[in-house]
C-alpha cells in the first residue's frame, strides 16, 4: 500500500483525516470534563513525515509542545540571528488544528548554542538573558498558553544554595538568574503561564526526596520575594521498574506546591520499561499500572491543570536513544503503540483524567 502524497492530503484534509480517526473520544475530551487539558510533545519533522500521526494528535490532544523547536540552540543559532521557522511550523499546525501550544523552554543548561556557551559570563549574563527572553517571548506574545521559563534548575548534589544545579547561568548570575528569567518573561508575555519545569521528583528515594525538599524551599523563597513563578511542571519521566512509588509522598508534594499558591502541570509523562519482561502484554500492563498509580496520586489535586506526554506514539520516543532497554527491544512508553493503536497506558491516562478532582 502506498501512502497518500502530501499534496493529496492537503487537497482533501477533512476526508483523509476523518477516515482514519478512531471513533471513541480522545484524551483531551476526557480531560476537559474536569476543565483540564491533555496534550503531547511533537517533533517538527513529523509534520511532513508522518501524516498518520497527525490524525491521532488531533484526535487525542488539546495542547502541544515542541520537542526541540523552541529551544535556544534552534531559535538563536548565531548571536542576534533568530530563526523561528520550525517553531512557527508547529504554531501553524496547532492553529489550524485548534490546539493550544506551550513554549519549552527559555532557560536550560542544555540546548544552548555554542556561541552562548562561549559568551556567557558575569559581565554579559544579564544582558544576554534579558535580550533573549525579551525577543523570543515577545515574538510569541499572546500565542502561547505557558512558557517553561526555567528547565531543570535543581541538582542538590552540586552545592550551590537552594539545591540549585551548577549551570553556566548560575555561574554567571548566581541564584538571581531565576528572578531575572521569570521577571523578563512576565514583561515580554504577561499572558503566558510561567512554569518552572523539573524532573526526578516522582519517587520515595533519597536523591528525589532531596530534590522535592529543596525545590519546595526554593519556590517558597521565590514566592516570598515576589518572583512571578506561577506553576511547576512535573516532567514525570517514570520508570515502571521503580518500586518506590509512594502515593502519599506524591499527594503531599503536590499539596505543598498548591499551598504555595502554585499550579501544577504534568509536562513530559512517559514510562521507561527496561527491566520489565519482553512480553508485550505483560509490559504494557505494568507500564499502565505504574502510570495509573502515579497519576491517581497527583491528579486529584485541583491545582493540577493538565497532562502532556513526551510524544503520543511509541514510534517516536526519545527514550530508546537515551535510556535503551538492555535487551535492545524498543520501549513502549507512550499512550499509542507504533501502529498508532491505543494501549493500556492510554486507558490508564483516560481513566485517571476522568476522575473528578477533589473539591
Ligand atoms: C529531549 C528531546 O526529546 C530530545 O529529542 C532532544 O534530543 C533532547 O531533549 N527533559 C526535557 C526535554 O525537558 O526538553 C527533553 O527533550 C527530555 C528531558
Amino acid at each position: 500500500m502506498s501512502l497518500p502524497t502530501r499534496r493529496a492530503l492537503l487537497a482533501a484534509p477533512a476526508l483523509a483525516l476523518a477516515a482514519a480517526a478512531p471513533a471513541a473520544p480522545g484524551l483531551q475530551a476526557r480531560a476537559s470534563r474536569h476543565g483540564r487539558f491533555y496534550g503531547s510533545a511533537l517533533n517538527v519533522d513529523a509534520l511532513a513525515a508522518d501524516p498518520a500521526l497527525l490524525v491521532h494528535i488531533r484526535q487525542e490532544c488539546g495542547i502541544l509542545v515542541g520537542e526541540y523547536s523552541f529551544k535556544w540552540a534552534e531559535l538563536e543559532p548565531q548571536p542576534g540571528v533568530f530563526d523561528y521557522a520550525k517553531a512557527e511550523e508547529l504554531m501553524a499546525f496547532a492553529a489550524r488544528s485548534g490546539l493550544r501550544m506551550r513554549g519549552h523552554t527559555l532557560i536550560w543548561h542544555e540546548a544552548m548554542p555554542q556561541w552562548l556557551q562561549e559568551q556567557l559570563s558575569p559581565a554579559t549574563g544579564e544582558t544576554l538573558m534579558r535580550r533573549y527572553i525579551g525577543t523570543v517571548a515577545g515574538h510569541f506574545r499572546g500565542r502561547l498558553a505557558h512558557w517553561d521559563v526555567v528547565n531543570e534548575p535543581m541538582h542538590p548534589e552540586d552545592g550551590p544554595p537552594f539545591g540549585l544545579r551548577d549551570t553556566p547561568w548560575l555561574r554567571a548570575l548566581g541564584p538571581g538568574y531565576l528572578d531575572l528569567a521569570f521577571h523578563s518573561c512576565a514583561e515580554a508575555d504577561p499572558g503566558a503561564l510561567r512554569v518552572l519545569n523539573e524532573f526526578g521528583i516522582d519517587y520515595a528515594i533519597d536523591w528525589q526526596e532531596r530534590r522535592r525538599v529543596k525545590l519546595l524551599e526554593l519556590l517558597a523563597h521565590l514566592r516570598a520575594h515576589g518572583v512571578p513563578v506561577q506553576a511547576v511542571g512535573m516532567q514525570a519521566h517514570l520508570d515502571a521498574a521503580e518500586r518506590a512509588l509512594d502515593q502519599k509522598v506524591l499527594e503531599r508534594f503536590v499539596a505543598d506546591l498548591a499551598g504555595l499558591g502554585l499550579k501544577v502541570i504534568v509536562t513530559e509523562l512517559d514510562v521507561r520499561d527496561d527491566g520489565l519482561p519482553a512480553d508485550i502484554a505483560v509490559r504494557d500492563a505494568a507500564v499502565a499500572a505504574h502510570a495509573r498509580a502515579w497519576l491517581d496520586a497527583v491528579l486529584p489535586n485541583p491545582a493540577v491543570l493538565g497532562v502532556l506526554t513526551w510524544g503520543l506514539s511509541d514510534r517516536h520516543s526519545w527514550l530508546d536513544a537515551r535510556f535503551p532497554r538492555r535487551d535492545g527491544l524498543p520501549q513502549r512508553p507512550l499512550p499509542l503503540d507504533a501502529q498508532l493503536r491505543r494501549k493500556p497506558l492510554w486507558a490508564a491516562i483516560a481513566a485517571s483524567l476522568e476522575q473528578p478532582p477533589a473539591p
Side-chain angles (χ1 to χ4, degrees):
M1 191 192 83
S2 67
L3 288 170
T5 62
R6 192 150 182 246
R7 183 190 290 168
L9 276 175
L10 291 175
L15 263 183
L17 296 181
L27 293 173
Q28 172 58 40
R30 291 160 203 269
S32 60
R33 288 177 196 165
H34 304 299
R36 289 170 163 170
F37 54 76
Y38 168 78
S40 168
L42 181 62
N43 196 303
V44 67
D45 298 337
L47 293 181
D50 199 349
L53 175 71
L54 303 183
V55 174
H56 292 265
I57 289 275
R58 289 179 161 113
Q59 171 76 18
E60 302 290 355
C61 295
I63 188 164
L64 297 177
V65 60
E67 186 171 350
Y68 206 79
S69 302
F70 290 68
K71 292 172 179 170
W72 197 323
E74 287 288 308
L75 292 182
E76 193 185 7
Q78 299 302 325
V81 180
F82 288 85
D83 181 356
Y84 300 108
K86 290 179 179 172
E88 288 293 359
E89 273 188 57
L90 285 166
M91 294 294 289
F93 170 76
R96 66 178 183 269
S97 307
L99 308 177
R100 298 191 302 154
M101 285 289 299
R102 333 186 49 246
H104 171 84
T105 175
L106 290 170
I107 299 298
W108 190 26
H109 59 281
E110 291 186 29
M112 295 172 75
Q114 186 63 35
W115 68 262
L116 175 62
Q117 299 178 42
E118 287 159 9
Q119 287 189 15
L120 184 53
S121 75
T124 61
E126 182 171 344
T127 306
L128 284 170
M129 186 185 285
R130 279 188 195 281
R131 196 197 57 189
Y132 180 75
I133 295 181
T135 305
V136 168
H139 174 86
F140 292 106
R141 184 183 172 105
R143 296 193 288 152
L144 295 173
H146 325 136
W147 260 117
D148 287 338
V149 179
V150 179
N151 197 31
E152 305 182 344
M154 306 304 295
H155 198 254
E157 289 72 22
D158 282 352
F162 302 107
L164 287 170
R165 182 186 295 273
D166 185 14
T167 70
W169 289 109
L170 191 284
R171 285 194 289 277
L173 298 175
Y177 87 85
L178 290 140
D179 309 34
L180 186 62
F182 281 99
H183 278 294
S184 303
C185 187
E187 236 170 75
D189 186 3
L193 189 80
R194 292 177 292 278
V195 182
L196 184 155
N197 197 42
E198 190 53 273
F199 74 94
I201 45 181
D202 308 298
Y203 297 114
I205 49 182
D206 284 351
W207 67 273
Q208 298 210 356
E209 180 59 20
R210 276 197 296 281
R211 292 165 69 80
R212 281 188 296 271
V213 168
K214 288 293 177 191
L215 181 55
L216 286 167
E217 284 173 17
L218 171 71
L219 290 162
H221 179 87
L222 295 177
R223 298 283 289 174
H225 288 78
V227 176
V229 51
Q230 298 171 304
V232 167
M234 298 178 74
Q235 291 188 3
H237 292 293
L238 304 182
D239 175 355
E242 175 57 66
R243 307 294 289 274
L245 194 162
D246 183 330
Q247 290 187 308
K248 288 271 165 300
V249 166
L250 279 167
E251 277 165 32
R252 177 81 253 153
F253 179 61
V254 177
D256 287 345
L257 293 172
L260 291 171
L262 294 161
K263 302 294 185 197
V264 175
I265 302 172
V266 181
T267 48
E268 306 185 12
L269 174 66
D270 55 17
V271 188
R272 298 209 280 280
D273 63 29
D274 187 25
L276 296 187
D279 183 276
I280 283 177
V282 174
R283 242 202 292 172
D284 283 359
V287 161
H290 191 86
R292 180 77 196 264
W294 192 94
L295 288 168
D296 280 357
V298 169
L299 290 186
N301 195 305
V304 180
L305 301 178
V307 176
L308 291 95
T309 50
W310 203 244
L312 180 61
S313 149
D314 293 343
R315 55 166 79 173
H316 304 289
S317 167
W318 70 307
L319 287 173
D320 284 330
R322 184 64 197 274
F323 301 103
R325 274 178 69 94
R326 276 159 282 186
D327 60 12
L329 289 173
Q331 304 214 41
R332 302 179 58 84
L334 292 168
L336 307 185
D337 70 11
Q339 285 73 44
L340 301 169
R341 294 173 303 211
R342 291 170 173 174
K343 289 162 49 194
L345 177 57
W346 181 94
I349 297 171
S352 197
L353 282 170
E354 279 184 335
Q355 286 175 354

